[in-house]
Amino acid sequence: MSEFMQLTGFKELAAALRELPERVARNGLRAAVNAGAGVIKKEAIAKAPEDTGALKANFYQKQIREQSGPMQQTFYVGVRKGVAKYANNKANKQSGKAGKTYKDDGTTFYWRFMEFGTSKMAPRPFLRPAFETKKEDAVNGIGAKLDERIQKYARELAKT
C-alpha cells in the first residue's frame, strides 16, 4: 500500500528550518512527522477488524532513512506480515503467559485481503479510511510537535 501525505506550500517553514542547525532541524522534523504518523497508526488500529488480536498488535510506524533528510522525513504506517507477536491476549491469559511473546498459529499476511478485497471477498478497508479520516489531525500534530521542538531549541539558545 502506498498512501502518501506530502505537505507543500510551507516555504516559510522550510526557510526557518534552514536557519536552524541541521541536527535540530532534522531531529525536530523527524519527531514531528513521527507524531503525525502516530495519529494515523492509532486510527488504523481502531478501525482494524477484530480478530485474534494479531492484526491490531502488528501495526507499525517506521522512518524510512533512505527517503529522509534535514528537510524531508518519510514514515510508513503499515501491518507486519510475519508471525504475530503480542501480549495480554486471551490465549496468553489462559495459558498463564501474559506479557510474553506469543506466536500465533498464523501470520498477519491476510491484512491486504481485508484492505483491498479479493475476487471472492469485498474489501473491508481500514488503513485508507484511517488516513483519510485523520490526515488533517496528523498535519496538526506535526505542526504542534514541530512548534514544541522549535520553542525548546529557542529556550536552550536563550540560556546560553
Side-chain angles (χ1 to χ4, degrees):
M1 179 176 157
S2 294
E3 291 284 338
F4 290 95
M5 178 169 51
Q6 184 171 12
L7 305 178
T8 59
F10 289 87
K11 291 181 183 177
E12 297 82 10
L13 175 60
L17 287 173
R18 282 200 263 312
E19 298 283 324
L20 295 172
E22 183 178 327
R23 178 189 61 80
V24 174
R26 182 185 60 242
N27 292 347
L29 188 59
R30 182 177 57 230
V33 176
N34 187 43
V39 170
I40 303 293
K41 177 184 167 192
K42 184 177 178 180
E43 182 68 9
I45 290 170
K47 288 186 176 298
E50 292 294 330
D51 64 355
T52 62
L55 182 62
K56 290 185 180 214
N58 278 285
F59 276 86
Y60 71 96
Q61 68 189 59
K62 180 182 179 188
Q63 178 199 32
I64 307 305
R65 291 180 189 237
E66 299 80 25
Q67 297 176 10
S68 299
M71 300 302 292
Q72 173 181 322
Q73 291 292 317
T74 301
F75 278 77
Y76 285 166
V77 174
V79 180
R80 287 181 197 90
K81 52 189 169 195
V83 173
K85 294 181 180 180
Y86 55 100
N88 298 325
N89 59 62
K90 290 179 185 175
N92 279 344
K93 287 178 183 174
Q94 291 169 354
S95 67
K97 296 180 183 176
K100 296 187 178 181
T101 301
Y102 174 76
K103 181 177 176 185
D104 195 290
D105 291 334
T107 63
T108 54
F109 71 91
Y110 57 87
W111 75 267
R112 67 179 60 84
F113 303 139
M114 295 168 134
E115 181 73 17
F116 301 110
T118 67
S119 62
K120 297 179 182 187
M121 181 178 89
R124 296 185 308 178
F126 50 92
L127 274 172
R128 289 174 291 162
F131 173 78
E132 291 300 325
T133 302
K134 292 294 185 175
K135 64 184 173 186
E136 195 170 308
D137 290 344
V139 170
N140 293 336
I142 289 168
K145 183 59 111 174
L146 194 54
D147 182 54
E148 175 189 314
R149 286 300 183 106
I150 290 171
Q151 296 297 327
K152 179 182 174 187
Y153 179 67
R155 284 190 303 272
E156 289 172 2
L157 275 180
K159 289 179 183 178
T160 59

